[in-house]
Amino acid sequence: MEEGNKIPKSASSRLCCRCNERKPALKRPKTLEQICRKCFYEVFEEEIHQVIVGNQLFKAGERVAIGASGGKDSTVLAYVMSELNRRHNYGLDLFLLSVDEGITGYRDDSLETVKRNEVQYGLPLKIVSYKELYGWTMDEIVKVIGLKNNCTFCGVFRRQALDRGAAYLKVDKLVTGHNADDIAETVLLNILRGDVARLSRCTSITTGEDGPIPRCKPFKYTYEKEIVIYPCSYCKNLNQNHTYAYFKKLDYFSTECIYSPNAYRGFAREFIKDLERIRPRAIVDIIKSGENFRISTSTKMPEQGTCERCGYISSQKWCKACVLLEGLNRGLPKLGIGRSRGLENGNGNRKDMEQNGDVRSIESKQCGSLDF
Ligand code: SF4
Ligand code: ZN
């Protein structure tokens, strides 16, 4: 167990710093306050409610899909969203929306968790699959391209799959379980890669307002350590004693994808965890820094259009998914990766496919859905 979360013996006789009545059950990772279980639930949920209200994420009567992978963040999101919707009368129609990438031994198992969540929370579930939408499963794609760029394909396909599922459900918004740690990592990664376009939007609580379905992140300021089990970076044991998902006994799936590369993002993740250990505010401060970046007006940003082939939003002639699929279907999968040139377009003309700004590798955190 990580030292930082233990209640020191000398303090065990103290009372919760919020209610001053009950014994503290944990030291909040975000604030280091010693707090009882009941107060932790209250403050955890209330902070998310304040983020929702303060940012006017929803309007009464809206249909909202919760991107649900069966993993920790989205399971807690589904639970908390249904609780807050009922408690505060948001007036939302909530749905679960899952993507089946076709990864045997991983997604098939995690979807079983989502199916249980459907019953536990009483939320209708829609599953969209890569096989249905694109004709390929991730298992088949990995057989062709190996384990180097698999998450690029998966991330691009997932983005569209979620939009298509959301359109099927006729929802007004899609919420995802990206937490504060994810966003801080993404800020750092975008700086390291010089990706100005993504840097400018990755801290926004709502994105895609000009696209088919706006996406919101109610966990923007929620620390991962407060959501669920996390591995101690020293002993690698799982610290499962002091988190919302554990206390609430939520049913989630915690196995990592069998194709997870854990590369560049993994280093950014470890770096942030190290910073957090020294100074918990570091996570929020990185997000604030990202919010305060100003992009020079002379920086050229990609213009939005639609894909000539499938009609999805794209800043190029073809959207990323169509370019990647073209490569797969022609037996030339690498042509769609990176800043490759020379893939022919649908008319048989060779076309500079310096791809849609870029199709650089989108590494995963656990499930790779961090392309925001
Ligand atoms: Fe897809 Fe995530 Fe697995 Fe990568 S790690 S293949 S993005 S599910
Ligand atoms: Zn208390």
Side-chain angles (χ1 to χ4, degrees):
M1 183 187 300
E2 194 158 355
E3 289 298 319
N5 258 33
K6 277 186 187 169
I7 308 254
K9 275 204 180 114
S10 58
S12 59
S13 54
R14 287 191 205 139
L15 295 174
C16 164
C17 70
R18 274 175 59 91
C19 65
N20 221 10
E21 282 174 16
R22 292 174 287 271
K23 281 204 165 178
L26 74 149
K27 196 173 178 186
R28 275 198 79 185
K30 190 171 183 176
T31 58
L32 303 183
E33 292 169 305
Q34 289 178 16
I35 191 167
C36 71
R37 192 184 280 219
K38 186 164 181 287
C39 287
F40 175 58
Y41 295 156
E42 281 174 14
V43 74
F44 181 92
E45 292 162 4
E46 181 60 22
E47 282 179 9
I48 295 161
H49 171 60
Q50 289 305 330
V51 168
I52 290 173
V53 173
N55 292 280
Q56 300 177 329
L57 293 191
F58 313 113
K59 292 195 203 89
E62 281 186 332
R63 294 164 68 87
V64 176
I66 301 163
S69 65
K72 59 188 176 58
D73 301 299
S74 61
T75 303
V76 173
L77 182 65
Y79 175 81
V80 171
M81 280 293 297
S82 38
E83 283 291 304
L84 295 179
N85 189 33
R86 194 172 52 239
R87 191 180 305 158
H88 298 288
N89 296 318
Y90 290 167
L92 303 176
D93 266 340
L94 298 175
F95 301 86
L96 297 173
L97 173 59
S98 295
V99 176
D100 181 1
E101 298 93 346
I103 301 175
T104 314
Y106 167 63
R107 186 56 81 215
D108 43 0
D109 291 341
S110 72
L111 285 175
E112 289 307 311
T113 311
V114 185
K115 287 175 194 163
R116 289 197 299 275
N117 294 158
E118 177 186 18
V119 178
Q120 289 156 350
Y121 308 148
L123 302 176
L125 166 66
K126 167 74 184 162
I127 301 176
V128 286
S129 80
Y130 285 4
K131 187 70 181 175
E132 255 171 57
L133 292 175
Y134 310 114
W136 290 78
T137 64
M138 276 311 293
D139 287 336
E140 291 163 349
I141 293 172
V142 166
K143 271 196 197 123
V144 175
I145 59 151
L147 283 173
K148 193 144 178 279
N149 294 302
N150 53 303
C151 293
T152 298
F153 282 83
C154 197
V156 169
F157 288 170
R158 180 183 296 106
R159 182 160 198 84
Q160 281 206 18
L162 281 171
D163 279 338
R164 296 196 193 281
Y168 175 91
L169 289 170
K170 296 192 174 52
V171 292
D172 303 289
K173 305 251 166 72
L174 172 65
V175 291
T176 58
H178 294 107
N179 59 45
D181 301 49
D182 298 331
I183 296 168
E185 272 169 35
T186 307
V187 170
L188 275 188
L189 284 173
N190 287 332
I191 292 171
L192 294 172
R193 290 164 167 163
D195 192 332
V196 177
R198 286 209 176 105
L199 181 59
S200 68
R201 64 173 188 257
C202 71
T203 53
S204 307
I205 194 156
T206 301
T207 51
E209 281 155 307
D210 50 347
I213 316 271
R215 295 177 180 220
C216 312
K217 300 185 276 279
F219 285 175
K220 179 176 172 186
Y221 297 109
T222 306
Y223 277 32
E224 182 170 83
K225 277 186 178 177
E226 297 196 347
I227 295 175
V228 84
I229 292 174
Y230 59 94
C232 167
S233 47
Y234 296 115
C235 66
K236 304 293 174 205
N237 285 333
L238 294 178
N239 179 359
Q240 57 180 318
N241 297 327
H242 299 141
T243 62
Y244 189 86
Y246 176 78
F247 282 153
K248 289 279 185 180
K249 298 192 171 39
L250 299 187
D251 182 5
Y252 62 89
F253 182 80
S254 53
T255 304
E256 227 179 279
C257 171
I258 51 172
Y259 302 139
S260 171
N262 246 337
Y264 210 44
R265 183 174 284 277
F267 290 113
R269 192 166 192 74
E270 280 305 305
F271 177 61
I272 285 178
K273 292 269 179 262
D274 285 347
L275 289 178
E276 184 192 10
R277 213 165 284 122
I278 302 163
R279 188 165 166 275
R281 266 204 66 83
I283 291 178
V284 168
D285 286 343
I286 293 170
I287 298 174
K288 297 274 178 218
S289 303
E291 287 171 343
N292 289 322
F293 276 118
R294 293 280 174 274
I295 295 173
S296 144
T297 46
S298 59
T299 306
K300 212 171 160 234
M301 302 294 270
E303 277 174 32
Q304 285 295 12
T306 47
C307 171
E308 278 186 6
R309 223 182 185 201
C310 72
Y312 190 72
I313 46 162
S314 172
S315 53
Q316 300 289 318
K317 207 174 165 67
W318 286 6
C319 72
K320 293 176 187 180
C322 280
V323 173
L324 292 173
L325 269 178
E326 181 73 4
L328 280 176
N329 291 332
R330 288 190 180 195
L332 301 166
K334 296 245 160 73
L335 282 178
I337 298 289
R339 292 175 179 268
S340 58
R341 288 168 180 261
L343 185 66
E344 287 180 6
N345 69 9
N347 305 322
N349 302 322
R350 288 187 77 79
K351 174 80 188 156
D352 178 356
M353 289 287 178
E354 190 160 89
Q355 214 356 259
N356 302 313
D358 59 282
V359 183
R360 57 185 78 177
S361 175
I362 301 163
E363 289 103 2
S364 68
K365 60 165 187 170
Q366 268 206 343
C367 77
S369 56
L370 286 173
D371 176 29
F372 56 89

